[in-house]
Amino acid sequence: MATPMEYDTLRELYSSVMAALTRVETQQGIDAAQFKEAENNFVRVWLNEVKRKDLKEIDYQAAAQKLKDAAKPWIDMETD
């Protein structure tokens, strides 16, 4: 069960990853298909782990880890 504060943290993580994806697309010049695939994969995890569940059904630790795992290749690309 996630607390409202944990839910807000997951929303912040979502926003920061989406912003990072946009920066990687712009700075690294990944093509539109790669960007769309990355965005779709990340959004799918977000929907399945957080958005489509009631607050009491969200496993905060698992959701945060799955979101980070889905974003890792793109975050790594941004920091390289």
Side-chain angles (χ1 to χ4, degrees):
M1 178 172 154
T3 66
M5 184 183 279
E6 289 172 332
Y7 181 77
D8 288 345
T9 302
L10 291 172
R11 284 186 24 207
E12 289 171 14
L13 175 62
Y14 176 84
S15 295
S16 67
V17 168
M18 293 306 285
L21 283 172
T22 301
R23 286 191 300 272
V24 167
E25 180 189 31
T26 303
Q27 295 169 0
Q28 303 288 338
I30 65 173
D31 66 33
Q34 285 178 302
F35 176 78
K36 197 64 181 165
E37 179 182 350
E39 182 181 43
N40 286 343
N41 288 338
F42 185 73
V43 170
R44 185 174 26 259
V45 171
W46 168 256
L47 291 173
N48 290 337
E49 296 300 320
V50 180
K51 194 66 177 168
R52 291 183 179 148
K53 295 183 176 185
D54 290 331
L55 193 60
K56 64 181 184 267
E57 297 175 323
I58 297 171
D59 179 340
Y60 172 73
Q61 296 295 331
Q65 189 59 53
K66 287 179 181 179
L67 288 168
K68 289 175 185 174
D69 290 348
K72 186 169 180 11
W74 309 102
I75 302 302
D76 288 349
M77 190 181 288
E78 183 181 37
T79 58
D80 286 345

Coordinates of all heavy atoms in Angstrom, one line a residue:
M1 N 0.8 -1.2 0.0 CA 0.0 0.0 0.0 C 0.9 1.2 0.0 O 1.8 1.4 0.8 CB -0.9 0.0 1.2 CG -1.8 1.2 1.3 SD -2.9 1.0 2.7 CE -3.2 2.7 3.1
A2 N 0.6 2.1 -0.9 CA 1.4 3.4 -1.0 C 0.7 4.5 -0.2 O -0.5 4.5 -0.2 CB 1.6 3.8 -2.4
T3 N 1.5 5.3 0.4 CA 0.9 6.5 1.1 C 0.7 7.6 0.1 O 1.3 7.5 -1.0 CB 1.9 7.0 2.2 OG1 3.1 7.4 1.6 CG2 2.2 5.9 3.2
P4 N 0.0 8.6 0.4 CA -0.2 9.7 -0.6 C 1.2 10.4 -0.9 O 1.4 10.7 -2.0 CB -1.1 10.7 0.2 CG -1.9 9.8 1.0 CD -1.0 8.7 1.5
M5 N 2.1 10.4 0.1 CA 3.4 11.0 -0.2 C 4.2 10.1 -1.1 O 4.9 10.6 -2.0 CB 4.2 11.1 1.1 CG 5.5 11.8 1.0 SD 6.5 11.9 2.5 CE 5.7 13.4 3.2
E6 N 4.1 8.8 -1.0 CA 4.8 7.9 -1.9 C 4.2 8.0 -3.3 O 5.0 8.0 -4.3 CB 4.7 6.4 -1.4 CG 5.5 6.2 -0.1 CD 5.3 4.8 0.5 OE1 4.1 4.3 0.3 OE2 6.2 4.3 1.1
Y7 N 2.9 8.1 -3.4 CA 2.3 8.3 -4.7 C 2.8 9.6 -5.4 O 3.2 9.6 -6.5 CB 0.8 8.4 -4.6 CG 0.1 8.5 -5.9 CD1 -0.1 7.5 -6.8 CD2 -0.4 9.8 -6.3 CE1 -0.7 7.6 -8.0 CE2 -1.0 10.0 -7.5 CZ -1.2 8.9 -8.3 OH -1.8 9.0 -9.6
D8 N 2.9 10.7 -4.6 CA 3.5 11.9 -5.1 C 4.9 11.7 -5.6 O 5.3 12.3 -6.6 CB 3.4 13.0 -4.1 CG 2.0 13.5 -3.9 OD1 1.1 13.2 -4.7 OD2 1.8 14.2 -2.9
T9 N 5.7 10.9 -4.9 CA 7.1 10.6 -5.3 C 7.1 9.9 -6.6 O 7.9 10.1 -7.4 CB 7.8 9.8 -4.2 OG1 7.8 10.6 -2.9 CG2 9.2 9.5 -4.5
L10 N 6.2 8.9 -6.7 CA 6.1 8.2 -8.0 C 5.7 9.1 -9.2 O 6.3 9.0 -10.3 CB 5.1 7.0 -7.9 CG 5.5 5.9 -7.0 CD1 4.3 4.9 -6.9 CD2 6.7 5.1 -7.5
R11 N 4.8 10.0 -8.9 CA 4.5 11.0 -9.9 C 5.6 11.9 -10.3 O 5.9 12.2 -11.5 CB 3.3 11.9 -9.5 CG 2.0 11.1 -9.5 CD 0.8 11.9 -9.2 NE 0.9 13.3 -9.4 CZ 0.3 14.3 -8.8 NH1 -0.6 13.9 -7.9 NH2 0.5 15.5 -9.1
E12 N 6.4 12.3 -9.3 CA 7.6 13.1 -9.6 C 8.6 12.3 -10.4 O 9.3 12.8 -11.3 CB 8.3 13.6 -8.3 CG 7.4 14.6 -7.6 CD 8.0 14.9 -6.2 OE1 9.1 14.6 -5.8 OE2 7.2 15.6 -5.4
L13 N 8.8 11.0 -10.1 CA 9.7 10.1 -10.8 C 9.2 10.0 -12.3 O 10.0 10.2 -13.2 CB 9.7 8.7 -10.2 CG 10.5 7.7 -10.9 CD1 12.0 8.1 -11.0 CD2 10.4 6.3 -10.2
Y14 N 7.9 9.9 -12.4 CA 7.4 9.8 -13.8 C 7.7 11.1 -14.6 O 8.2 11.0 -15.7 CB 5.8 9.6 -13.7 CG 5.2 9.6 -15.0 CD1 5.1 8.5 -15.8 CD2 4.6 10.8 -15.5 CE1 4.4 8.5 -17.1 CE2 3.9 10.8 -16.8 CZ 3.9 9.7 -17.5 OH 3.2 9.7 -18.7
S15 N 7.4 12.2 -14.0 CA 7.7 13.5 -14.6 C 9.2 13.7 -15.0 O 9.5 14.1 -16.1 CB 7.2 14.7 -13.8 OG 5.8 14.6 -13.6
S16 N 10.0 13.3 -14.0 CA 11.5 13.5 -14.3 C 12.0 12.6 -15.4 O 12.8 13.0 -16.2 CB 12.3 13.4 -13.0 OG 12.2 12.0 -12.6
V17 N 11.5 11.4 -15.4 CA 11.9 10.5 -16.5 C 11.4 10.9 -17.9 O 12.1 10.9 -18.9 CB 11.4 9.0 -16.2 CG1 11.6 8.1 -17.4 CG2 12.2 8.5 -15.0
M18 N 10.1 11.4 -17.9 CA 9.6 11.9 -19.2 C 10.4 13.1 -19.7 O 10.7 13.2 -20.9 CB 8.1 12.2 -19.1 CG 7.2 11.0 -18.8 SD 7.4 9.7 -20.1 CE 6.5 10.4 -21.4
A19 N 10.8 13.9 -18.8 CA 11.6 15.1 -19.1 C 13.0 14.6 -19.6 O 13.5 15.1 -20.6 CB 11.8 16.0 -17.9
A20 N 13.6 13.6 -19.0 CA 14.9 13.0 -19.4 C 14.8 12.4 -20.8 O 15.7 12.6 -21.6 CB 15.4 12.0 -18.4
L21 N 13.7 11.7 -21.0 CA 13.5 11.1 -22.4 C 13.5 12.2 -23.4 O 14.1 12.1 -24.5 CB 12.2 10.3 -22.4 CG 12.1 9.0 -21.8 CD1 10.7 8.4 -21.8 CD2 13.1 8.0 -22.5
T22 N 12.8 13.3 -23.2 CA 12.7 14.4 -24.1 C 14.1 15.0 -24.3 O 14.5 15.3 -25.4 CB 11.8 15.5 -23.6 OG1 10.5 14.9 -23.5 CG2 11.7 16.6 -24.6
R23 N 14.9 15.2 -23.2 CA 16.3 15.7 -23.4 C 17.1 14.8 -24.2 O 17.9 15.2 -25.0 CB 16.9 16.0 -22.0 CG 16.3 17.2 -21.3 CD 17.1 17.5 -20.1 NE 17.2 16.5 -19.1 CZ 16.3 16.3 -18.1 NH1 15.2 17.1 -18.0 NH2 16.4 15.3 -17.2
V24 N 17.0 13.5 -23.9 CA 17.8 12.5 -24.7 C 17.5 12.6 -26.1 O 18.3 12.5 -27.0 CB 17.7 11.1 -24.1 CG1 18.2 10.0 -25.1 CG2 18.3 10.9 -22.8
E25 N 16.2 12.6 -26.4 CA 15.8 12.7 -27.8 C 16.4 13.9 -28.5 O 16.9 13.9 -29.6 CB 14.2 12.8 -27.9 CG 13.8 12.9 -29.4 CD 12.3 13.2 -29.5 OE1 11.7 13.9 -28.6 OE2 11.7 12.8 -30.5
T26 N 16.4 15.1 -27.8 CA 16.9 16.3 -28.4 C 18.4 16.3 -28.4 O 19.0 16.6 -29.5 CB 16.4 17.5 -27.5 OG1 15.0 17.5 -27.5 CG2 16.9 18.8 -28.1
Q27 N 19.1 15.9 -27.3 CA 20.5 16.0 -27.3 C 21.3 14.9 -27.9 O 22.3 15.1 -28.5 CB 21.0 16.1 -25.8 CG 20.5 17.3 -25.1 CD 20.7 17.2 -23.6 OE1 21.2 16.3 -23.0 NE2 20.3 18.3 -22.9
Q28 N 20.7 13.7 -27.9 CA 21.4 12.5 -28.4 C 21.0 12.2 -29.8 O 21.6 11.4 -30.5 CB 21.2 11.3 -27.5 CG 21.6 11.4 -26.1 CD 23.1 11.5 -25.9 OE1 23.8 11.0 -26.8 NE2 23.6 12.1 -24.9
G29 N 19.9 12.8 -30.3 CA 19.5 12.6 -31.6 C 18.9 11.3 -31.9 O 19.0 10.8 -33.0
I30 N 18.3 10.6 -30.9 CA 17.6 9.4 -31.1 C 16.5 9.6 -32.1 O 15.9 10.6 -32.1 CB 17.2 8.6 -29.9 CG1 16.1 9.4 -29.1 CG2 18.4 8.3 -29.0 CD1 15.5 8.6 -27.9
D31 N 16.2 8.6 -32.9 CA 15.1 8.8 -33.9 C 13.7 8.7 -33.2 O 13.6 8.2 -32.1 CB 15.3 7.9 -35.1 CG 15.1 6.4 -34.7 OD1 14.3 6.1 -33.8 OD2 15.7 5.6 -35.4
A32 N 12.7 9.1 -33.9 CA 11.4 9.2 -33.4 C 10.9 7.8 -33.0 O 10.2 7.7 -32.0 CB 10.5 9.8 -34.4
A33 N 11.2 6.8 -33.7 CA 10.8 5.4 -33.4 C 11.4 4.9 -32.1 O 10.7 4.3 -31.3 CB 11.1 4.4 -34.5
Q34 N 12.7 5.2 -31.9 CA 13.3 4.8 -30.6 C 12.6 5.6 -29.4 O 12.4 5.0 -28.4 CB 14.8 5.1 -30.6 CG 15.6 4.2 -31.4 CD 17.1 4.7 -31.4 OE1 17.4 5.8 -31.8 NE2 17.9 3.8 -30.9
F35 N 12.4 6.8 -29.6 CA 11.8 7.7 -28.6 C 10.4 7.1 -28.3 O 10.1 7.0 -27.1 CB 11.8 9.1 -29.0 CG 11.0 10.0 -28.0 CD1 11.7 10.4 -26.8 CD2 9.7 10.4 -28.2 CE1 11.0 11.2 -25.9 CE2 9.1 11.1 -27.3 CZ 9.7 11.5 -26.1
K36 N 9.6 6.9 -29.3 CA 8.3 6.4 -29.1 C 8.3 5.1 -28.3 O 7.4 4.8 -27.5 CB 7.5 6.3 -30.4 CG 6.0 6.3 -30.2 CD 5.5 7.6 -29.6 CE 4.1 7.6 -29.4 NZ 3.6 8.6 -28.5
E37 N 9.2 4.2 -28.7 CA 9.3 2.9 -28.0 C 9.6 3.1 -26.6 O 9.0 2.4 -25.7 CB 10.3 2.0 -28.7 CG 10.4 0.6 -28.1 CD 11.5 -0.2 -28.7 OE1 12.0 0.1 -29.8 OE2 11.8 -1.2 -28.1
A38 N 10.6 3.9 -26.3 CA 11.0 4.1 -24.9 C 9.9 4.8 -24.1 O 9.6 4.3 -23.0 CB 12.2 5.1 -24.9
E39 N 9.2 5.7 -24.7 CA 8.1 6.4 -24.0 C 7.0 5.4 -23.8 O 6.4 5.3 -22.7 CB 7.6 7.6 -24.9 CG 6.5 8.3 -24.3 CD 6.0 9.5 -25.2 OE1 5.9 9.2 -26.4 OE2 5.8 10.5 -24.6
N40 N 6.6 4.6 -24.8 CA 5.5 3.6 -24.6 C 5.8 2.6 -23.5 O 5.0 2.2 -22.8 CB 5.2 2.9 -26.0 CG 4.5 3.8 -26.9 OD1 4.0 4.8 -26.6 ND2 4.6 3.4 -28.2
N41 N 7.1 2.1 -23.5 CA 7.5 1.1 -22.5 C 7.3 1.7 -21.1 O 6.8 1.1 -20.2 CB 8.9 0.6 -22.7 CG 9.0 -0.3 -23.9 OD1 8.0 -0.9 -24.4 ND2 10.2 -0.4 -24.5
F42 N 7.8 2.9 -20.9 CA 7.8 3.6 -19.6 C 6.3 3.9 -19.2 O 5.9 3.6 -18.1 CB 8.6 4.9 -19.6 CG 8.7 5.5 -18.3 CD1 9.5 4.9 -17.3 CD2 8.0 6.6 -18.0 CE1 9.5 5.5 -16.0 CE2 8.0 7.2 -16.8 CZ 8.8 6.7 -15.8
V43 N 5.6 4.4 -20.1 CA 4.2 4.7 -19.8 C 3.4 3.4 -19.5 O 2.6 3.4 -18.6 CB 3.5 5.5 -21.0 CG1 2.0 5.6 -20.8 CG2 4.1 6.9 -21.1
R44 N 3.7 2.4 -20.2 CA 3.0 1.1 -19.9 C 3.3 0.6 -18.5 O 2.4 0.2 -17.8 CB 3.4 0.0 -20.9 CG 2.7 -1.3 -20.8 CD 3.0 -2.3 -21.9 NE 4.3 -2.2 -22.5 CZ 4.5 -1.7 -23.7 NH1 3.5 -1.2 -24.4 NH2 5.7 -1.7 -24.2
V45 N 4.5 0.7 -18.1 CA 4.9 0.4 -16.7 C 4.1 1.3 -15.7 O 3.5 0.9 -14.7 CB 6.4 0.5 -16.4 CG1 6.7 0.3 -14.9 CG2 7.1 -0.6 -17.2
W46 N 4.1 2.6 -16.0 CA 3.4 3.6 -15.2 C 1.9 3.2 -15.0 O 1.4 3.2 -13.9 CB 3.5 5.0 -15.7 CG 2.6 6.0 -15.1 CD1 1.5 6.5 -15.7 CD2 2.8 6.6 -13.8 NE1 0.9 7.4 -14.8 CE2 1.7 7.5 -13.7 CE3 3.7 6.5 -12.8 CZ2 1.5 8.3 -12.5 CZ3 3.5 7.3 -11.7 CH2 2.5 8.1 -11.5
L47 N 1.3 2.9 -16.1 CA -0.1 2.6 -16.1 C -0.4 1.3 -15.3 O -1.3 1.2 -14.5 CB -0.7 2.5 -17.5 CG -0.8 3.7 -18.3 CD1 -1.2 3.4 -19.8 CD2 -1.7 4.7 -17.7
N48 N 0.4 0.3 -15.6 CA 0.2 -1.0 -14.9 C 0.5 -1.0 -13.5 O -0.1 -1.7 -12.7 CB 1.0 -2.1 -15.6 CG 0.5 -2.4 -17.0 OD1 -0.7 -2.2 -17.3 ND2 1.3 -2.9 -17.9
E49 N 1.5 -0.3 -13.1 CA 2.0 -0.3 -11.7 C 1.4 0.7 -10.8 O 1.3 0.6 -9.6 CB 3.5 -0.2 -11.6 CG 4.2 -1.4 -12.3 CD 3.9 -2.7 -11.6 OE1 3.8 -2.8 -10.4 OE2 3.8 -3.7 -12.4
V50 N 0.9 1.8 -11.4 CA 0.5 3.0 -10.5 C -0.9 3.5 -10.9 O -1.8 3.5 -10.2 CB 1.5 4.1 -10.6 CG1 1.1 5.3 -9.7 CG2 2.9 3.7 -10.2
K51 N -1.0 4.0 -12.1 CA -2.2 4.7 -12.5 C -3.5 3.9 -12.5 O -4.5 4.5 -12.1 CB -1.9 5.3 -13.9 CG -2.9 6.4 -14.3 CD -2.7 7.6 -13.5 CE -3.7 8.7 -13.9 NZ -3.7 9.8 -13.0
R52 N -3.4 2.7 -12.9 CA -4.7 1.9 -12.9 C -5.0 1.2 -11.6 O -5.9 0.3 -11.6 CB -4.5 0.8 -14.0 CG -4.5 1.4 -15.4 CD -4.4 0.4 -16.5 NE -4.4 1.0 -17.8 CZ -3.8 0.5 -18.8 NH1 -3.1 -0.6 -18.7 NH2 -3.8 1.1 -20.0
K53 N -4.3 1.5 -10.6 CA -4.6 0.9 -9.3 C -5.0 1.9 -8.3 O -4.8 3.1 -8.4 CB -3.3 0.3 -8.7 CG -2.7 -0.9 -9.6 CD -1.5 -1.5 -8.9 CE -1.0 -2.7 -9.7 NZ 0.1 -3.4 -9.1
D54 N -5.8 1.4 -7.3 CA -6.1 2.3 -6.2 C -4.9 2.5 -5.3 O -4.0 1.6 -5.3 CB -7.2 1.6 -5.3 CG -8.6 1.6 -6.0 OD1 -8.9 2.4 -6.8 OD2 -9.3 0.6 -5.6
L55 N -4.8 3.5 -4.6 CA -3.7 3.8 -3.8 C -3.3 2.6 -2.9 O -2.1 2.3 -2.7 CB -3.9 5.1 -2.9 CG -2.7 5.7 -2.2 CD1 -1.7 6.1 -3.2 CD2 -3.2 6.9 -1.4
K56 N -4.3 2.0 -2.3 CA -4.0 0.9 -1.4 C -3.5 -0.4 -2.1 O -2.9 -1.2 -1.5 CB -5.3 0.5 -0.6 CG -6.4 0.0 -1.4 CD -7.6 -0.3 -0.5 CE -8.7 -0.9 -1.3 NZ -9.7 0.0 -1.8
E57 N -3.6 -0.4 -3.4 CA -3.1 -1.6 -4.2 C -1.7 -1.4 -4.7 O -1.1 -2.3 -5.2 CB -4.0 -1.8 -5.4 CG -5.4 -2.2 -5.0 CD -6.3 -2.3 -6.3 OE1 -6.1 -1.5 -7.2 OE2 -7.1 -3.2 -6.3
I58 N -1.2 -0.2 -4.6 CA 0.2 0.1 -5.2 C 1.3 -0.4 -4.2 O 1.3 -0.1 -3.0 CB 0.4 1.6 -5.4 CG1 -0.7 2.1 -6.4 CG2 1.8 1.9 -5.9 CD1 -0.7 3.6 -6.6
D59 N 2.1 -1.2 -4.8 CA 3.4 -1.6 -4.0 C 4.4 -0.6 -4.4 O 5.0 -0.6 -5.5 CB 3.8 -3.0 -4.5 CG 5.0 -3.5 -3.7 OD1 5.8 -2.7 -3.2 OD2 5.2 -4.7 -3.7
Y60 N 4.6 0.4 -3.5 CA 5.5 1.5 -3.8 C 6.9 1.1 -4.2 O 7.4 1.5 -5.2 CB 5.6 2.4 -2.5 CG 6.6 3.5 -2.7 CD1 6.4 4.6 -3.5 CD2 7.8 3.4 -2.0 CE1 7.3 5.6 -3.7 CE2 8.8 4.4 -2.1 CZ 8.5 5.5 -3.0 OH 9.4 6.5 -3.1
Q61 N 7.5 0.2 -3.4 CA 8.9 -0.2 -3.7 C 9.0 -0.9 -5.1 O 9.9 -0.6 -5.9 CB 9.4 -1.1 -2.6 CG 9.6 -0.5 -1.3 CD 10.6 0.6 -1.3 OE1 11.6 0.6 -2.0 NE2 10.4 1.6 -0.4
A62 N 8.1 -1.8 -5.3 CA 8.1 -2.5 -6.6 C 7.8 -1.6 -7.8 O 8.5 -1.7 -8.8 CB 7.1 -3.6 -6.6
A63 N 6.9 -0.7 -7.6 CA 6.5 0.3 -8.7 C 7.7 1.2 -9.0 O 8.0 1.4 -10.1 CB 5.3 1.1 -8.3
A64 N 8.3 1.7 -7.9 CA 9.5 2.6 -8.1 C 10.6 1.9 -8.9 O 11.2 2.4 -9.8 CB 10.0 3.1 -6.8
Q65 N 10.9 0.6 -8.5 CA 11.9 -0.1 -9.1 C 11.6 -0.4 -10.6 O 12.5 -0.3 -11.5 CB 12.2 -1.4 -8.4 CG 13.4 -2.2 -8.9 CD 14.7 -1.3 -8.7 OE1 15.0 -0.8 -7.7 NE2 15.4 -1.2 -9.8
K66 N 10.4 -0.8 -10.9 CA 10.0 -1.1 -12.2 C 10.1 0.1 -13.1 O 10.5 0.1 -14.3 CB 8.6 -1.7 -12.3 CG 8.6 -3.2 -11.8 CD 7.2 -3.7 -11.8 CE 7.2 -5.2 -11.3 NZ 5.9 -5.8 -11.3
L67 N 9.7 1.3 -12.6 CA 9.8 2.5 -13.3 C 11.2 2.9 -13.6 O 11.6 3.3 -14.7 CB 9.1 3.7 -12.5 CG 7.6 3.6 -12.5 CD1 7.0 4.6 -11.5 CD2 7.0 3.9 -13.9
K68 N 12.1 2.7 -12.6 CA 13.5 3.0 -12.8 C 14.1 2.1 -13.8 O 14.9 2.5 -14.6 CB 14.3 2.9 -11.4 CG 13.9 4.0 -10.5 CD 14.6 3.9 -9.1 CE 14.1 5.0 -8.2 NZ 14.6 4.7 -6.8
D69 N 13.8 0.8 -13.7 CA 14.3 -0.2 -14.7 C 13.9 0.1 -16.1 O 14.7 0.0 -17.0 CB 13.8 -1.6 -14.3 CG 14.5 -2.1 -13.0 OD1 15.5 -1.5 -12.5 OD2 14.0 -3.2 -12.5
A70 N 12.6 0.5 -16.3 CA 12.1 0.9 -17.6 C 12.8 2.1 -18.2 O 13.0 2.3 -19.4 CB 10.6 1.1 -17.6
A71 N 13.3 3.0 -17.3 CA 13.9 4.3 -17.7 C 15.4 4.2 -17.8 O 16.0 5.0 -18.4 CB 13.5 5.4 -16.7
K72 N 16.0 3.2 -17.2 CA 17.5 3.1 -17.1 C 18.3 3.3 -18.4 O 19.2 4.1 -18.4 CB 17.9 1.8 -16.4 CG 19.4 1.7 -16.1 CD 19.7 0.6 -15.3 CE 21.2 0.5 -14.9 NZ 22.1 1.5 -15.2
P73 N 17.9 2.7 -19.5 CA 18.7 2.9 -20.7 C 18.8 4.3 -21.1 O 19.8 4.8 -21.6 CB 18.1 2.0 -21.7 CG 17.2 1.0 -21.0 CD 16.9 1.7 -19.7
W74 N 17.7 5.0 -20.9 CA 17.6 6.4 -21.4 C 18.2 7.4 -20.4 O 18.8 8.3 -20.8 CB 16.1 6.7 -21.7 CG 15.5 5.7 -22.6 CD1 14.7 4.6 -22.2 CD2 15.8 5.5 -23.9 NE1 14.5 3.8 -23.3 CE2 15.1 4.3 -24.4 CE3 16.6 6.2 -24.9 CZ2 15.2 3.9 -25.7 CZ3 16.6 5.7 -26.2 CH2 15.9 4.6 -26.6
I75 N 18.1 7.1 -19.1 CA 18.8 7.9 -18.1 C 20.3 7.7 -18.3 O 21.0 8.7 -18.2 CB 18.3 7.5 -16.7 CG1 16.8 7.7 -16.6 CG2 19.0 8.3 -15.7 CD1 16.3 9.1 -16.9
D76 N 20.7 6.5 -18.5 CA 22.2 6.3 -18.7 C 22.7 7.0 -19.9 O 23.8 7.6 -19.9 CB 22.5 4.8 -18.9 CG 22.3 4.0 -17.6 OD1 22.2 4.6 -16.5 OD2 22.3 2.7 -17.6
M77 N 21.9 7.0 -21.0 CA 22.3 7.7 -22.2 C 22.4 9.2 -22.0 O 23.3 9.9 -22.5 CB 21.2 7.5 -23.3 CG 21.6 7.9 -24.7 SD 20.4 7.6 -25.9 CE 20.5 5.9 -26.1
E78 N 21.5 9.8 -21.1 CA 21.6 11.2 -20.8 C 22.8 11.5 -20.0 O 23.4 12.6 -20.2 CB 20.3 11.6 -20.0 CG 20.3 13.1 -19.8 CD 19.1 13.6 -19.0 OE1 18.7 12.9 -18.1 OE2 18.7 14.7 -19.3
T79 N 23.2 10.7 -19.1 CA 24.4 11.0 -18.3 C 25.7 10.7 -18.9 O 26.8 11.0 -18.4 CB 24.3 10.2 -16.9 OG1 24.2 8.8 -17.2 CG2 23.1 10.7 -16.1
D80 N 25.7 9.9 -20.1 CA 27.0 9.6 -20.8 C 27.5 10.9 -21.4 O 26.9 11.8 -21.8 CB 26.7 8.6 -21.8 CG 26.5 7.2 -21.2 OD1 26.9 7.0 -20.0 OD2 26.1 6.3 -21.9

